[in-house]
Amino acid sequence: MLRIDNVHVSYGPIKAVRGVSLEVREGEILALLGPNGAGKTSLISSIVGLAPRTSGKVSFDGSVISSEQTERIVSRGITLTPEGRRVFADLTVGENLRLGAASRRDAAGVKEDIEKYLDLFPILRTRYASRARMLSGGEQQMLAIARSLMARPKLLMLDEPSLGLAPRIVDRIFELLASLRSQGLTMLLVEQNANEALGLADKACVLASGSLVFNGTAAELKSSGDVMEMYLGLEGG
């Protein structure tokens, strides 16, 4: 579904991503892991044209999308739930959800999907008329994910969905992602919580200083003591 070939991302003289290649197949979850500053956010942002990719090729559903504008890439079926949630604070929950479907023209389908995701995230139903700034961090993260889903993506990319959340809320977020996985949604997940991510993912990649240092299955990474300890600060095995 998604293929990245030899992608480089630079900010002036700073090389954030150095020749990374990876693939996400339909129905898979790929966890993209690594220490802070490894280039994870730069890589996924470059996929949707939000970071300066200096070379390399990005393909989606068999078409090269490297030179396309962000709006066109999103219309193809890729959405990004960014780090820090970035909901529209002064809009209500309902308005945020409808904004996620702004490119759609099927009013009945939009209404149906709102109900679907209010069922999946019940707290958003009780907060439906509240402004997003009144929500807790966990509630805002659920809203950010639901807003991305309103675009009916083929590939959902999430950047640090557990960042800054209490452990019980993190558990709830990953339960929701597991529910989406059971529905067949393809995901690319950037996450500092490696244990949670590897418990959910089929495959895993590890970035360090902008370069790919591991690319394999989640099970293979969990059994790789050296990579787990050196780059993720965890014990493997």
Side-chain angles (χ1 to χ4, degrees):
M1 177 176 277
L2 176 73
R3 186 178 181 88
I4 299 170
D5 294 301
N6 197 32
V7 164
H8 292 253
V9 176
S10 297
Y11 302 91
I14 300 172
K15 295 181 178 180
V17 177
R18 303 167 183 262
V20 170
S21 298
L22 57 83
E23 183 178 8
V24 187
R25 295 178 181 174
E26 186 173 359
E28 286 183 338
I29 297 181
L30 172 65
L32 184 59
L33 309 173
N36 287 332
K40 305 183 298 296
T41 294
S42 292
L43 179 61
I44 64 169
S45 296
S46 74
I47 293 170
V48 291
L50 296 176
R53 185 179 56 253
T54 52
S55 63
K57 183 171 71 173
V58 180
S59 304
F60 183 69
D61 270 355
S63 299
V64 177
I65 61 171
S66 307
S67 61
E68 293 185 353
Q69 296 297 314
T70 299
E71 294 78 7
R72 174 60 178 156
I73 294 170
V74 171
S75 72
R76 285 184 177 273
I78 303 177
T79 60
L80 171 62
T81 304
E83 180 182 348
R85 299 176 276 278
R86 299 186 193 175
V87 295
F88 293 94
D90 289 327
L91 299 182
T92 67
V93 166
E95 289 167 341
N96 269 272
L97 291 176
R98 286 191 291 274
L99 196 58
S103 63
R104 294 171 55 182
R105 297 293 178 265
D106 56 327
V110 169
K111 185 176 180 180
E112 178 182 319
D113 282 356
I114 287 175
E115 288 300 314
K116 175 181 177 180
Y117 295 122
L118 293 179
D119 286 342
L120 183 63
F121 303 91
I123 191 63
L124 298 183
R125 188 180 294 280
T126 66
R127 302 282 196 271
Y128 189 76
S130 300
R131 297 193 185 280
R133 58 183 163 79
M134 304 301 294
L135 275 58
S136 70
E139 292 164 355
Q140 288 187 9
Q141 185 62 71
M142 293 177 196
L143 175 58
I145 295 171
R147 185 181 64 191
S148 290
L149 292 170
M150 285 298 299
R152 289 190 174 177
K154 298 177 183 177
L155 171 65
L156 174 64
M157 301 195 299
L158 303 111
D159 193 0
E160 303 286 5
S162 75
L163 186 67
L165 302 181
R168 64 181 180 84
I169 303 299
V170 172
D171 290 343
R172 178 59 179 148
I173 293 294
F174 275 88
E175 287 172 5
L176 293 167
L177 296 181
S179 175
L180 294 171
R181 176 188 178 177
S182 70
Q183 299 172 31
L185 182 62
T186 308
M187 287 182 260
L188 175 52
L189 172 65
V190 171
E191 180 55 60
Q192 284 288 332
N193 191 326
N195 283 327
E196 289 279 12
L198 292 175
L200 180 70
D202 302 290
K203 297 194 307 187
C205 293
V206 178
L207 285 183
S209 300
S211 298
L212 198 62
V213 296
F214 178 89
N215 187 359
T217 68
E220 287 169 343
L221 178 55
K222 285 189 284 188
S223 66
S224 177
D226 290 346
V227 176
M228 290 284 282
E229 183 175 357
M230 183 177 299
Y231 298 106
L232 304 177
L234 300 170
E235 293 185 3

